Each structure stands twice: as structure tokens, then as C-alpha cells.
Amino acid sequence: MGLLILGTAAAGAGLLWWSVSGTAHGRADPSDGLVLGVWHVLYDTEAPTLPTLAAAGGLALLFAAGVATLERRIATRARRSVDGRQLPLSPRHVMAETRGVFHGDVTLTVLVPAHNEAQGIAATLESLAAQSRAPERIIVVADNCTDDTVAIARRCGAEVIESVDNRHKKAGALNQALARILPTQGENDLVMVMDADTILDDGFLASVVRRMSDDRALMAVGGLFYGEDGSGLIGQFQRNEYTRYARDLRRRRGQVFVLTGTATVFRPRALRTVAAERGRLLPGVPGDVYDTLVLTEDNEITLALKSLGGLIVSPSDCTVVTEVMGTWRTLWAQRLRWQRGALENLGAYGLRPSTFRYWAQQLGIGYGVIALFSYLLLMVLMALSFDSWVWFPFWLGTGLIFTVERVLTVWRGGWRARLLAATLFPELVYALFLDIVYLKGILDMSLGRNAQWGNHTPAPARQEVDA
């Protein structure tokens, strides 16, 4: 990996040097004419000069190498730290504390938070029971349910914990359940949190147990999720998006961006330490495992574990199927919550080594929004400015390369995913939709509007609660 980063940086520096050294050739004169002799079209071979292309490529490679170098250095420093006060979950510190002690075989307790999930809770529980390595305990955390969720869960053989006077939704219900369960858990008694609309692929739990048995410094294992079938075109957009996300994680060898809320397994030490550090090293209410003031509790607990030096992974053989939004309205609400939640989490944690990668990611998203809107604006201006349509072979070639990249990155998704990616423009419209959601989240934060969980329930503002 180090050699790869070094090679990328050297290539970027070489291209940048070449572009400004004056040794590059100048641009070619533009030309135009007829194509194929029978089809009358106007085209222009004008393209950015080679030095310009080299400079752009060089800067991109240097930026990528810089981010990778810093991320690698931060991760290595956290793994090797023995500072139990600032990084109490660092692998070296945990290994030192647990060395020479047998804590028993690994066991699994699964918590399934559920709010009126009568329609799908049975399938979720059956997928758990059907695992090649079944969990010892399955507990449905029923939060203010008014349907048959509790009865169905009990018929399926699950234990049920019902929340009491909970006003903090999923995070609050989980905190109540964890307060009862964690004190009884040993070092190897793993706790899994799994959404009630999720189905585990077979082998998920067996892989988790094997990894946790082999590495006692491992604090959490997250799943790679992909979308369920159905919901037409909007469902396929989301499946393509999830397929690309899973591909990115596989190429990062399981290094985690976010421990997905769909299914993640924690070591009890990790959850207890997070609860103990709330109000000191971490934001939130002391004693709470999950911060009840955030919109995206899975993203927040990922930042919490990384801030404490915890080792976490999302291996490629831990896959889950999750629901996709069936309408643009519900998709808008979900993504607005995700985007704003991620930004608010970063604001709460500030700039620290564990959040560097996330700040860089947000800057990248912001740049992507500006680039896409600028591209579309220039296309409109060009169309309005020319009397006749002019084809630009360079940009057509660039678009073709982009299309090939879109197809290859969803190849695992099947022929429907490839066909949608090959048409290019529908996915550009979907990207534009997500960019508008991103801008709406920033605008709401700038104007101080209360966040929504997607069902018109406002989230409590942190400053209000603190006061």
C-alpha cells in the first residue's frame, strides 16, 4: 500500500512538473468538416491542451495520495497507541489489557429495534434463525409499537424488551435495552444491532464469530448492504448506488466509512467505553451508548469508536439486504436525514484525526455538486449560443470513458444495473437529485431550521438540551 501511494504521488508530481516545464507541445489547431461523407454534421476537434490535462491529472493524483497518506498515518498511530486515557480502544492498549486471559467462547446476542414492524419482522427473525451460526439470544426492542410486532416476535421465539417512556426513537430504545444487557456481558459476548427491515445473507454471523475469535482487538464488524428487489426505476437507482459503495469498501479491504445501522456487531467493551466517554472525549449524554440528539446514530457511533482508537471493519463476506425507498418523497426524507446528520455529527466532533477523512469526503461532495451544476449550466449556455449543433469529439470521448466506468462499477448488480448505467443520463438526474438534497441540508442548517426524522417529528437541538 505504501508503494502504491508513493507511486501515485510520484506520477502526480511528474505530470505537474511536465505541464509547467515548457517542454510540452502547444495545442493543435482546431478543424472541422463532414463525417462519413453522407452525414452532415459540424464537429470541432478543439480540446484542452496536453499541459492543461497533465496539470489536472497531476493535481488529482497528488490530492488522492495526500489524503491516503494522512489516513494511513492516522490509522497506524491509533493502532500503536498505548495512551489508554485518550485512545482507550486502541488495539495495542486492548491487547495489553486482555493478554493471557481466556474470556470464554464467543457468544452472540442480537438486538432488533422495531417500531410497528409487523409486516417484515418475521422475515428478519427467520433469517437470523437460519444462519449457519445462529445467535444465542434474539431480542426485539419494541419501541412504542401499536401493531402486532410484539406478538409476532414472541411467536417467532424472540425475547422482547419494550421501551418505557422513550422519546428518543431508535437510539433511546436501544439505550434502554443496552443498559439492561451490557452489565451481564463478558469480553466475548458480542452484541449485534440489526434493523427490523433487514435480511442477513447466510454466513454473516459465522464470519463475524471467526473474525472476533481471531482478533481480540477488533471492536466492531459492520455489514455490506445492498438493496432489495422491486420499486422500479427508483429502486434500481438505489441498488446501483449501494453496489458502488460495496465495491469501494471491498477495494479498501473492509476499512469502514460508516458502520451501517442495518447490521453491525460490537464487542461489549466498545459499547461500554463509548457510554463512559460521553461528555469527556465524545459528545452526548454521559452513560448513553447512542447519542439521542443526532439524526444518524450509525454514523455517529462510527465516529465515536474511531475517536477512541477502535479497530472496525466491514468485510466483503458480511452482506445484508436492506429496503429501498419506493417513492421520491420518502427517498428525499431519508437522504436529507443522512446528509444533515453526517454534517451535524462532523460539527459536533470538530476537526480531529479521526474525522479528517470525513471532512475531506464532504469537501469532495461539495466540489462534485459545484462541478455537476457548472457542467449542466455550460451545456445550456452552449445550446443557446450556437445556431447549429456542434459535436466535440474530445468531450464525447470523455463521456464514453465515464459511461464505461459507470457500467463496470455496477457489474455485480446484474444486467438491469448495467443497462441503467449505460444510458448515463438517468443516473445523472439521480445524482442531481442527491446534490439538491445536499444543498437543502446545508441551507436548513444555515437557517437554523430544526431537523426532521422523516415523519415530521423535529429532532431536539443539541443546544436546547444542553441548556
Side-chain angles (χ1 to χ4, degrees):
M1 182 58 74
L3 288 176
L4 179 62
I5 294 174
L6 182 62
T8 302
L15 285 173
L16 196 58
W17 175 83
W18 184 80
S19 69
V20 299
S21 65
T23 59
H25 296 292
R27 58 183 298 174
D29 293 332
S31 61
D32 54 30
L34 294 175
V35 174
L36 303 178
V38 294
W39 184 26
H40 183 73
V41 295
L42 295 177
Y43 71 94
D44 193 332
T45 58
E46 183 178 3
T49 62
L50 284 177
T52 301
L53 293 174
L59 287 173
L61 290 174
L62 284 174
F63 180 75
V67 171
T69 300
L70 282 174
E71 185 180 24
R72 183 176 172 82
R73 184 168 185 176
I74 290 168
T76 301
R77 185 178 178 184
R79 288 192 182 98
R80 296 176 178 174
S81 174
V82 293
D83 186 355
R85 180 169 173 76
Q86 295 299 318
L87 295 172
L89 295 179
S90 73
R92 191 171 179 181
H93 179 72
V94 172
M95 295 291 278
E97 283 199 339
T98 58
R99 184 174 293 119
V101 180
F102 178 62
H103 295 279
D105 294 329
V106 169
T107 69
L108 268 169
T109 296
V110 180
L111 301 184
V112 184
H115 171 67
N116 290 342
E117 301 285 354
Q119 187 172 359
I121 190 70
T124 299
L125 298 177
E126 288 168 2
S127 81
L128 283 168
Q131 285 282 303
S132 57
R133 199 299 186 188
E136 277 73 16
R137 296 178 70 187
I138 301 175
I139 303 173
V140 172
V141 183
D143 180 39
N144 298 314
C145 290
T146 55
D147 62 2
D148 294 333
T149 299
V150 171
I152 295 173
R154 288 189 170 129
R155 279 202 301 271
C156 292
E159 301 174 44
V160 176
I161 294 178
E162 296 189 61
S163 61
V164 180
D165 299 329
N166 175 44
R167 296 182 295 107
H168 299 296
K169 296 187 174 292
K170 178 181 174 182
L174 283 172
N175 282 339
Q176 290 188 11
L178 288 168
R180 295 171 57 176
I181 293 170
L182 281 180
T184 65
Q185 302 294 96
E187 187 75 20
N188 287 339
D189 297 326
L190 309 181
V191 176
M192 177 175 180
V193 177
M194 174 184 176
D195 280 351
D197 54 13
T198 297
I199 305 295
L200 293 184
D201 284 342
D202 191 24
F204 186 109
L205 295 183
S207 175
V208 168
V209 170
R210 177 174 55 79
R211 291 172 187 279
M212 287 291 196
S213 300
D214 292 344
D215 188 352
R216 63 180 189 276
L218 188 57
M219 290 293 111
V221 178
L224 290 184
F225 55 89
Y226 55 91
E228 63 184 359
D229 292 334
S231 298
L233 184 61
I234 190 174
Q236 192 60 55
F237 281 136
Q238 294 166 79
R239 284 189 287 277
N240 280 14
E241 183 185 8
Y242 296 161
T243 299
R244 293 192 176 99
Y245 177 76
R247 180 178 180 272
D248 288 344
L249 283 190
R250 283 194 298 271
R251 299 179 73 184
R252 286 170 55 86
R253 299 179 182 178
Q255 295 183 53
V256 178
F257 290 120
V258 176
L259 288 169
T260 173
T262 54
T264 294
V265 181
F266 301 93
R267 204 177 283 278
R269 169 188 288 265
L271 299 178
R272 282 195 285 260
T273 306
V274 167
E277 296 298 339
R278 297 275 183 210
R280 192 179 81 87
L281 295 177
L282 306 174
V285 178
D288 281 354
V289 174
Y290 285 95
D291 189 348
T292 57
L293 307 183
V294 301
L295 291 168
T296 48
E297 69 282 344
D298 49 357
N299 182 71
E300 196 279 335
I301 203 163
T302 305
L303 294 180
L305 292 176
K306 286 194 170 186
S307 296
L308 299 176
L311 180 61
I312 56 181
V313 297
S314 284
S316 59
D317 54 353
C318 291
T319 54
V320 300
V321 182
T322 190
E323 70 169 340
V324 295
M325 297 297 103
T327 66
W328 291 103
R329 182 183 180 88
T330 54
L331 181 63
W332 172 277
Q334 180 200 55
R335 297 311 172 92
L336 185 59
R337 182 170 61 86
W338 287 5
Q339 287 287 0
R340 182 163 176 177
L343 288 170
E344 290 184 345
N345 289 341
L346 282 179
Y349 277 79
L351 187 59
R352 57 175 81 180
S354 58
T355 61
F356 164 76
R357 181 66 174 76
Y358 297 88
W359 283 109
Q361 187 179 38
Q362 289 298 326
L363 288 175
I365 295 173
Y367 170 77
V369 171
I370 294 172
L372 181 57
F373 276 94
S374 299
Y375 166 76
L376 295 176
L377 178 61
L378 288 174
M379 289 285 287
V380 171
L381 288 176
M382 187 186 73
L384 295 177
S385 301
F386 287 5
D387 295 329
S388 302
W389 187 264
V390 180
W391 297 93
F392 291 87
F394 174 82
W395 294 110
L396 285 174
T398 303
L400 180 61
I401 293 173
F402 182 66
T403 304
V404 171
E405 186 271 343
R406 294 283 85 187
V407 174
L408 292 179
T409 52
V410 297
W411 197 261
R412 285 172 174 259
W415 67 269
R416 288 188 179 89
R418 298 168 202 159
L419 181 62
L420 180 59
T423 52
L424 185 61
F425 287 100
E427 285 206 321
L428 278 180
V429 173
Y430 181 67
L432 186 64
F433 172 83
L434 297 182
D435 286 348
I436 294 173
V437 173
Y438 177 82
L439 293 175
K440 177 68 164 54
I442 292 179
L443 181 63
D444 286 349
M445 290 178 63
S446 303
L447 297 178
R449 294 172 180 164
N450 277 345
Q452 304 286 330
W453 264 292
N455 59 356
H456 309 293
T457 303
R462 185 176 295 280
Q463 58 268 29
E464 292 173 358
V465 175
D466 291 345

